[in-house]
């Protein structure tokens, strides 16, 4: 379950840091009862970024398997024409 804490609790940084590492997931910071920010440990941030890269690679592999590819030279020429380069 995601952890939510009010923004006023950010004053105690060592407790927040410990919480980030203990929960091993992003923590939602609320302001006036509404979601305002998200904080997380650097390990969680790295894991999320890496997952995003893997997601893009899987999509690219799927496109290749389905034949959704374009010749690089043709693609570059199309972009040059489009942007007048």
């Amino acid at each position: 379950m995601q952890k939510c804490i009010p923004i006023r609790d950010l004053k105690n940084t060592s407790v927040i840091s410990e919480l980030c590492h203990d929960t091993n997931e992003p923590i939602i910071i609320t302001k006036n009862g509404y979601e305002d920010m998200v904080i997380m440990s650097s390990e969680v941030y790295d894991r999320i970024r890496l997952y995003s890269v893997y997601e893009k690679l899987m999509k690219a592999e799927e496109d290749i398997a389905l034949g959704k590819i374009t010749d690089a030279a043709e693609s570059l020429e199309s972009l040059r024409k489009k942007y007048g380069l």
Side-chain angles (χ1 to χ4, degrees):
M1 187 168 104
Q2 272 190 328
K3 181 79 174 167
C4 294
I5 59 173
I7 200 165
R8 69 177 176 274
D9 289 355
L10 291 179
K11 292 176 185 175
N12 196 343
T13 56
S14 60
V15 171
I16 298 300
S17 175
E18 189 176 313
L19 183 62
C20 285
H21 291 281
D22 289 347
T23 59
N24 207 23
E25 65 181 25
I27 298 170
I28 297 172
I29 308 301
T30 59
K31 182 177 179 183
N32 299 324
Y34 297 98
E35 293 181 1
D36 185 51
M37 298 183 282
V38 176
I39 60 172
M40 64 190 86
S41 68
S42 59
E43 292 88 4
V44 171
Y45 178 70
D46 289 341
R47 189 179 68 223
I48 289 171
R49 278 191 344 188
L50 188 59
Y51 178 78
S52 175
V53 169
Y54 283 135
E55 220 174 21
K56 290 173 186 169
L57 287 172
M58 287 180 357
K59 174 66 174 135
E61 291 288 336
E62 183 181 307
D63 286 348
I64 291 169
L66 294 173
K68 295 181 181 178
I69 57 174
T70 305
D71 180 70
E74 290 174 16
S75 182
L76 286 173
E77 185 60 31
S78 171
L79 288 171
R80 286 186 181 112
K81 286 180 182 177
K82 181 177 180 178
Y83 295 105
L85 302 172

